Amino acid sequence: MESKANKNSKEAKMPSFLTRIGAAYDSLWKAFIRPPRDLYTQEELGPVTFRINDEAFIRKDFQVTNIRGNRLECSLFGPLENWRVEERPCVVYLHGSSSSRVEALSVLRSLLPIGIIVCAFDFAGTGHSEGDYVSLGVNEPDDVEAVINHLRTSGKVTNIALWGRSMGAVAAIRYQLRDPCIFAVVADSPFASLTQLAEDFAQRQLGLSKSLISFFLKCLRRSIKKRLGFDVFENNPIDVVHECETPILFAVALGDDVTPKFHAETLFKRYGGDNKGLMYIDGDHNSRRATNFKAAVASFFVKRFKLHKDLSSGFPSRVHSIDQETPQFGAVASKRSTSTSNRETEDSNEESPI
């Protein structure tokens, strides 16, 4: 017969176990649709006017409203002089799920000096934009559409391409299906199947068996659907990528254990268009991208935009503020990860899967 002491011990352990399971579940759904929000400062967004080598540039902030009524915070980076005289091609940069438009600062030096202006914005539910949740590429194309509609009526841009990373890469893939006028897409670290991504994330973070993961994911799917009003797990780029025809460059980091290389490889193989490429790069999912990768992306855009630029001499190394009292954006950006914030965030310190 079981002793009273052993019985009391088991009963004491049960609440602790249930508490851990509850905490793990709460962590899991937040990691997908409510990851830490990157509440950057204006200093981290960089100076309004700055130079890259001898050419002056300016950041112009603006706001748009998406179809769900969320205000989105946006920035457009371009030349300080004669912008109205000469419209330029534009790359719209799409950040990851727990990041913000600050992520785009790392690509300015590669694009602005070769005549390509850059637009970046906070997706709904991220950064300083309105919204409570992200949707991992389901609603995000609506945000892209709102921004691109603004750009096309601004009188500042001609042709438009997309450069997305992680969740932003999925949004770019899905958006091109509704906009055949997009000139090119760069998709860095997209996922092919959200279900597969969730299974890998749950196993990596929680160390659960496959049978328990299956139960967890059923609960996760139901919980997320209740909050978003739709089943986010129906967001599988692999199901639509065969319909895509826009020229695209896929990229994946060899050390990426969040969206391992088979995600990008599968999307590449099934991509509908013939003009496609796949690039393997150093680092992991959240590491800063190397200069040679950004140079390859710039060359890809130059070709698609039909720009007459000689990139053989490389890219400028000097970036500084015109207003010397304002810190240079390069110095600010170098302190941050390109996909996540290293500071305290609004929600939690939980890892985001993408």
Side-chain angles (χ1 to χ4, degrees):
M1 187 172 180
E2 185 176 26
S3 69
K4 185 175 181 180
N6 287 339
K7 184 177 180 180
N8 290 339
S9 176
K10 287 183 179 181
E11 290 177 349
K13 291 178 180 179
M14 185 59 68
S16 177
F17 173 75
L18 293 177
T19 298
R20 290 198 303 271
I21 291 295
Y25 173 72
D26 190 60
S27 169
L28 195 57
W29 77 258
K30 285 183 178 179
F32 278 84
I33 64 169
R34 183 55 281 158
R37 188 187 287 259
D38 182 14
L39 295 177
Y40 54 86
T41 64
Q42 280 297 309
E43 179 185 14
E44 288 175 301
L45 191 55
V48 173
T49 55
F50 56 93
R51 291 184 182 275
I52 299 179
N53 282 356
D54 296 324
E55 189 172 0
F57 297 94
I58 187 171
R59 188 193 83 235
K60 296 184 178 181
D61 298 331
F62 63 96
Q63 298 174 334
V64 299
T65 302
N66 66 16
I67 196 172
R68 297 177 303 283
N70 301 129
R71 187 185 68 248
L72 309 179
E73 300 295 334
C74 318
S75 296
L76 188 61
F77 302 85
L80 183 61
E81 302 293 337
N82 300 322
W83 199 345
R84 285 282 184 184
V85 177
E86 181 184 0
E87 294 179 337
R88 302 194 180 199
C90 177
V91 167
V92 180
Y93 190 91
L94 311 177
H95 63 76
S97 64
S98 59
S99 188
S100 67
R101 56 179 161 162
V102 175
E103 185 180 317
L105 299 183
S106 64
V107 310
L108 298 184
R109 193 168 63 193
S110 302
L111 299 179
L112 292 179
I114 60 175
I116 300 175
I117 63 177
V118 177
C119 180
F121 67 96
D122 297 339
F123 280 118
T126 72
H128 292 283
S129 288
E130 294 178 342
D132 297 322
Y133 304 109
V134 298
S135 61
L136 305 181
V138 179
N139 286 334
E140 282 71 24
D142 294 334
D143 299 349
V144 179
E145 182 172 6
V147 172
I148 287 181
N149 286 344
H150 173 86
L151 293 174
R152 285 177 171 154
T153 59
S154 68
K156 292 187 172 79
V157 308
T158 53
N159 303 318
I160 295 175
L162 305 176
W163 184 346
R165 183 161 179 183
S166 197
M167 180 184 76
V170 174
I173 291 171
R174 296 179 70 90
Y175 178 76
Q176 61 163 303
L177 287 170
R178 66 172 76 172
D179 189 345
C181 294
I182 294 299
F183 263 61
V185 171
V186 171
D188 180 351
S189 310
F191 61 82
S193 166
L194 185 57
T195 300
Q196 182 65 54
L197 183 77
E199 289 176 353
D200 294 344
F201 182 74
Q203 187 173 26
R204 184 177 69 252
Q205 288 295 100
L206 306 178
L208 300 178
S209 65
K210 288 187 177 181
S211 59
L212 196 52
I213 285 177
S214 177
F215 169 75
F216 250 65
L217 292 185
K218 286 180 181 179
C219 297
L220 174 66
R221 192 167 186 165
R222 184 167 56 249
S223 179
I224 291 178
K225 185 175 181 179
K226 180 179 179 181
R227 288 172 170 84
L228 295 184
F230 58 86
D231 190 352
V232 72
F233 284 87
E234 293 179 355
N235 172 34
N236 289 309
I238 194 60
D239 296 331
V240 299
V241 75
H242 65 281
E243 303 175 23
C244 301
E245 296 183 351
T246 303
I248 191 167
L249 175 63
F250 290 99
V252 61
L254 294 174
D256 193 335
D257 62 353
V258 178
T259 55
K261 64 179 183 178
F262 73 82
H263 283 275
E265 289 172 342
T266 302
L267 291 172
F268 171 76
K269 290 176 182 177
R270 299 193 186 183
Y271 195 79
D274 295 328
N275 195 331
K276 59 184 179 179
L278 174 61
M279 188 173 182
Y280 297 95
I281 55 182
D282 293 330
D284 56 33
H285 190 76
N286 291 321
S287 62
R288 293 182 59 81
R289 296 309 187 224
T291 300
N292 63 345
F293 168 64
K294 288 181 278 191
V297 171
S299 297
F300 174 67
F301 287 139
V302 163
K303 182 177 180 180
R304 296 313 311 162
F305 286 139
K306 293 182 166 50
L307 302 177
H308 301 289
K309 300 290 181 180
D310 180 10
L311 304 182
S312 59
S313 59
F315 293 94
S317 58
R318 294 188 293 110
V319 183
H320 57 86
S321 169
I322 292 177
D323 179 359
Q324 294 302 317
E325 294 181 358
T326 306
Q328 61 174 347
F329 72 77
V332 174
S334 66
K335 298 177 182 178
R336 306 168 54 91
S337 164
T338 55
S339 289
T340 56
S341 171
N342 294 321
R343 301 171 289 103
E344 289 297 319
T345 52
E346 179 190 68
D347 301 316
S348 69
N349 292 320
E350 298 297 336
E351 176 189 352
S352 169
I354 52 173

